[in-house]
Amino acid sequence: MPFQDPREIGYGHVIERYVTRKDSDRPRYMDLASTRVLRPGWPHAERHARQVIEDAAAITDAELNALLGYEWRSRLTAAWLIGVARRTSFRERIGDLLLESEVCYAGTAYCFALARFGTPADAEIISAYLDRYLPRTDLYYNQPSALGALLRLDAHLGTHHATRFTEPDGLWDRWVQVRVRPDDRSHYAPAEQRRWTDLKCDFANGWTLG
């Protein structure tokens, strides 16, 4: 997909309003891309949660489309807002962006959004991604996030889509063997990938305006 600067289509405000605004001591997109928001006792948790959920409810579809058409920071932020609000009307767009994998970092947010949607259609999209990119042992994209999201969806739906990827000496094991250093492989166990997806989704599930 071609990249489109929101300023060129009359949506220049969306970057400052949603992407680079500060819910903590640094821009929002940096918090969404990190794991520090999941740490117990993070001092900015309440402010961050309140502002993200308010923006997820307030942002328009046109503004989301403007963000999804731009670079990785904008796409990551948009996908998080879509996932938090469970805007399932964006499922196809999110799926296309995930499969195309045009930019870095944003794919983890696409997987988060699909895991939050929680339907068989989302499991099919992530399965298609893994079918395409797990055999590519030359690429380290968002394979771990995708597997974690698929495992969460399987647990929610009572399905077994991930089984064919995680069987011994299967696609997942072969990808890890090539892409991950031996000392780090324990962090890439399927259960560990599922745990990280659960932490993100359960954290978002706990956000309220209270």
Side-chain angles (χ1 to χ4, degrees):
M1 292 183 180
F3 291 82
Q4 178 75 65
D5 188 325
R7 290 169 293 190
E8 297 175 356
I9 54 174
Y11 284 91
H13 67 283
V14 296
I15 304 301
E16 183 177 356
R17 174 69 178 83
Y18 299 109
V19 181
T20 62
R21 69 173 297 170
K22 290 188 175 181
D23 306 323
S24 65
D25 56 342
R26 63 184 187 180
R28 173 183 285 169
Y29 74 87
M30 294 183 67
D31 285 332
L32 294 177
S34 77
T35 59
R36 74 173 187 162
V37 299
L38 306 176
R39 297 173 189 167
W42 185 49
H44 305 287
E46 183 176 352
R47 174 183 171 85
H48 174 81
R50 178 175 292 276
Q51 294 190 349
V52 169
I53 197 170
E54 287 177 349
D55 282 350
I59 192 169
T60 68
D61 286 356
E63 289 174 323
L64 284 168
N65 278 316
L67 290 175
L68 289 173
Y70 198 30
E71 42 77 87
W72 72 267
R73 300 166 188 82
S74 300
R75 292 183 182 191
L76 180 148
T77 303
W80 261 89
L81 296 175
I82 287 167
V84 167
R86 289 195 173 99
R87 301 254 191 127
T88 56
S89 61
F90 282 91
R91 176 181 289 111
E92 183 176 356
R93 182 80 183 277
I94 291 289
D96 288 344
L97 290 171
L98 177 64
L99 289 169
E100 289 168 4
S101 292
E102 292 178 309
V103 298
C104 60
Y105 304 119
T108 59
Y110 304 151
C111 292
F112 162 76
L114 295 170
R116 285 272 293 169
F117 293 165
T119 74
D122 306 300
E124 290 176 7
I125 292 169
I126 295 176
S127 294
Y129 175 86
L130 291 171
D131 276 326
R132 179 178 298 184
Y133 289 106
L134 274 183
R136 293 293 306 273
T137 54
D138 58 318
L139 301 177
Y140 190 116
Y141 281 0
N142 301 109
Q143 292 93 332
S145 295
L147 182 66
L150 188 58
L151 287 165
R152 180 180 175 89
L153 286 165
D154 275 345
H156 174 71
L157 298 169
T159 53
H160 304 281
H161 296 286
T163 301
R164 63 190 177 89
F165 300 115
T166 59
E167 61 186 3
D169 299 318
L171 285 173
W172 178 253
D173 280 353
R174 292 198 291 272
W175 183 84
V176 170
Q177 289 290 322
V178 174
R179 297 304 311 175
V180 182
R181 296 182 305 174
D183 291 348
D184 294 333
R185 287 173 188 164
S186 62
H187 301 298
Y188 286 79
E192 185 69 2
Q193 302 311 311
R194 160 82 191 276
R195 185 178 75 86
W196 279 109
T197 302
D198 286 344
L199 283 172
K200 292 177 183 178
C201 291
D202 292 344
F203 183 67
N205 286 342
W207 288 352
T208 67
L209 289 174

